[in-house]
Amino acid sequence: EPRRAEAWLRRMVEDGAEPDVVSYNSVISGWAKQGDADGAERVVNLMLESSIEPDVVTLGASVHACAKIGERVRAEALFARLVARGKAKPDAICYNALINAAVKAGDINAGQEWLDTMLKNGVKPSVVSYTTVLHAHARAGNIVEAEKGLKLMLETGVEANVVSYSALIHACVKAGDMDRAEHWFEHMRGAG
């Protein structure tokens, strides 16, 4: 229950105890799991007011809270605010949350831009990073973009999973391009 955990955290601060970054992150993560961006951001603010520097866990959990409800702009603002402080270096999980927030908000281009930023900043994307964007393109009927995403994933050494292939194959079938669907099905079978 993040509400009770936050109350205890606030009580600790009021009583002069000094909760550490792990204490704050636990409460932020609780709010994130519930998709409560207000709660997560409120605890981030309390953390900063208490002069506790956010780390990569703080960054990932707080952005995830926004992503879960599709608040792309808020997720990006929180990300920028925490990264600017200097200690929180974004990892694949943080970028995945931004990609997810963009896609949930219906902005596939922003999702693609975050994937590109991730690559540019030397953070290795995971299968989730690529598949989130690929799946969004496929759902929107952008077969060429979805296909480019799958090819890029494979070229960078990230093994596509059944979700990656299925999204592209389904988009091809939906568009009536059975030859292309069959090509990617055979590619998936060959990959094991």
Side-chain angles (χ1 to χ4, degrees):
E1 282 190 32
R3 188 169 318 286
R4 287 179 66 192
E6 182 180 342
W8 277 104
L9 185 69
R10 288 183 179 282
R11 187 170 175 187
M12 288 173 69
V13 171
E14 289 166 8
D15 289 347
E18 296 181 4
D20 61 6
V21 69
V22 175
S23 301
Y24 285 97
N25 286 344
S26 296
V27 180
I28 294 166
S29 294
W31 285 123
K33 286 177 185 163
Q34 290 192 356
D36 190 326
D38 292 334
E41 191 165 11
R42 191 173 51 247
V43 176
V44 167
N45 290 336
L46 177 63
M47 179 183 200
L48 298 177
E49 289 164 11
S50 300
S51 300
I52 302 295
E53 279 304 309
D55 62 10
V56 68
V57 176
T58 314
L59 181 61
S62 57
V63 171
H64 177 69
C66 300
K68 199 159 183 179
I69 56 176
E71 288 196 19
R72 178 185 66 83
V73 173
R74 187 176 191 179
E76 290 172 347
L78 198 49
F79 178 86
R81 182 173 156 214
L82 296 180
V83 169
R85 296 183 66 88
K87 184 178 177 188
K89 302 291 183 214
D91 61 6
I93 293 168
C94 299
Y95 281 108
N96 288 350
L98 286 168
I99 292 167
N100 190 35
V103 167
K104 277 193 173 180
D107 193 340
I108 301 169
N109 291 332
Q112 182 67 55
E113 287 170 17
W114 281 114
L115 179 60
D116 294 343
T117 299
M118 188 177 189
L119 288 163
K120 185 181 81 182
N121 290 341
V123 177
K124 184 172 175 57
S126 67
V127 66
V128 172
S129 314
Y130 286 109
T131 301
T132 302
V133 176
L134 183 160
H135 195 262
H137 280 301
R139 273 194 327 261
N142 302 331
I143 297 170
V144 172
E145 290 301 316
E147 198 170 50
K148 279 176 27 183
L150 184 59
K151 288 177 182 176
L152 179 62
M153 182 186 332
L154 299 173
E155 288 167 8
T156 58
V158 175
E159 189 175 320
N161 62 21
V162 69
V163 176
S164 312
Y165 283 109
S166 294
L168 180 55
I169 292 166
H170 179 74
C172 294
V173 169
K174 192 173 172 184
D177 192 340
M178 298 309 289
D179 290 338
R180 194 178 243 167
E182 198 170 305
H183 164 78
W184 286 111
F185 180 76
E186 291 303 324
H187 195 282
M188 178 179 68
R189 287 184 63 209

